[in-house]
Amino acid sequence: MLSNNVFYHKLQSMDIENFRSDFLAKQAETGMGQSRISAVYGVQQAALSRFASKKMGLSFKSIIKLWPFVYGCEFSPASTMREDGGGGDE
C-alpha cells in the first residue's frame, strides 16, 4: 500500500503512459488476465485490451477503478492534502 507522500508523488507525476506501464507491471506480477481484472474492477475487457496494446487510453473513471489493482490503495487525493490546502510533499 502506498503512503500518502508516495501517493501524492504518483498523482503529480502521473500520465497515461506511466499508468499503462504500472498497470502492465502489476498484471505481470500478479498473473491476472484481462478477463479477471475486468470482472473484479468493473472495466470492460475490450477497453483493457486496447489500453494494454497502446491502441487507446482509458477514461478517468476507469483509471480510478483500476487504481487499487495497480497501486494497492483507493484513489483518494483528498487524503493527501494538508489542512492548509497544500500538498503532502512539502
Side-chain angles (χ1 to χ4, degrees), residues 63-80:
I63 290 171
I64 299 304
K65 288 179 178 182
L66 292 170
W67 192 275
F69 169 70
V70 176
Y71 299 117
C73 63
E74 293 298 317
F75 183 87
S76 179
S79 69
T80 67

Side-chain angles (χ1 to χ4, degrees), residues 11-71:
L11 189 59
Q12 291 298 309
S13 64
M14 184 57 56
D15 66 31
I16 197 66
E17 292 306 321
N18 287 340
F19 189 77
R20 185 186 335 268
S21 176
D22 293 346
F23 170 79
L24 292 171
K26 183 57 78 169
Q27 187 180 16
E29 176 188 320
T30 63
M32 281 182 78
Q34 292 174 1
S35 295
R36 179 78 176 130
I37 295 168
S38 174
V40 171
Y41 294 96
V43 177
Q44 292 183 355
Q45 190 275 328
L48 293 174
S49 178
R50 289 189 299 268
F51 177 64
S53 64
K54 298 184 179 184
K55 292 180 181 175
M56 209 170 174
L58 278 177
S59 69
F60 186 70
K61 185 176 179 179
S62 292
I63 290 171
I64 299 304
K65 288 179 178 182
L66 292 170
W67 192 275
F69 169 70
V70 176
Y71 299 117

